[in-house]
Amino acid sequence: MPLGTWLRAGTSAAALVLGMAGTATAAPAPASTASTAQAAVVTLRYDDSRAVGWESAIAAGVASWNANVSSVRLVEAAPGSAAEIVIVATTGWPQATLGPVRPGRQVRVELGSQAVDQGYNKTRIAAHELGHSLGLPDTKPGPCSQLMSGSSAGTACTNAAPNTTERSRVQSTYASALAALAPTNGRTLVDAP
């Protein structure tokens, strides 16, 4: 084949490829399923039917988390339905299973009256233990501004709101659709001083 024919064929092929590339990029891109999944809110249900005397503290702790993070939402489970977070009142020290809990799985929170008897704030206890369920470990010793400092902040501390770092950790833990595949830690953290 003469050189001129090769050049014409090569030029035509290059023009065809460039023309197709322009057409492909001009078409609107489909919505990304990954970004849609990342924008989804993970809903976790809690059952406090066995936490008599703690209802208002639990409601305040839940409200604190719901006001401070947007990737996960805590809602009360309908009576008799399954819940990811089972909350019970006990006579011991508060403790909880370290999450992060995922939809369809389950962790346990024990709200112990021993801490209340020693002067610790019920709402802070409830919010702190829910923080464990959401995957946050203790940060003891720590200041009152750290919700996860728990009892090390002292009995005068009533802060029930996560700080910027705590919010960020929970937010990123539940922001990705891949996070739903991560296992719950399963360790129980006892919050005695």
Side-chain angles (χ1 to χ4, degrees), residues 139-157:
T139 55
K140 295 178 182 181
C144 183
S145 61
Q146 291 178 341
L147 176 60
M148 301 314 293
S149 67
S151 61
S152 71
T155 57
C157 180

Side-chain angles (χ1 to χ4, degrees), residues 48-150:
D48 65 352
S49 62
R50 294 185 289 160
V52 176
W54 287 85
E55 296 87 353
S56 62
I58 293 166
V62 164
S64 177
W65 279 109
N66 286 343
N68 282 289
V69 295
S70 60
S71 61
V72 63
R73 184 131 190 97
L74 303 175
V75 298
E76 189 168 4
S81 67
E84 285 81 15
I85 304 171
V86 175
I87 307 172
V88 298
T90 70
T91 57
W93 276 96
Q95 57 185 296
T97 309
L98 179 59
V101 65
R102 304 299 179 191
R105 299 187 184 149
Q106 194 172 77
V107 294
R108 180 178 170 96
V109 168
E110 295 183 11
L111 299 176
S113 62
Q114 193 170 354
V116 176
D117 294 344
Q118 291 198 14
Y120 292 97
N121 178 270
K122 280 179 126 176
T123 301
R124 179 172 167 84
I125 292 168
H128 175 91
E129 299 307 326
L130 288 168
H132 287 321
S133 297
L134 298 174
L136 296 177
D138 286 315
T139 55
K140 295 178 182 181
C144 183
S145 61
Q146 291 178 341
L147 176 60
M148 301 314 293
S149 67

Side-chain angles (χ1 to χ4, degrees), residues 14-30:
L16 179 63
V17 168
L18 289 174
M20 289 176 64
T23 303
T25 57

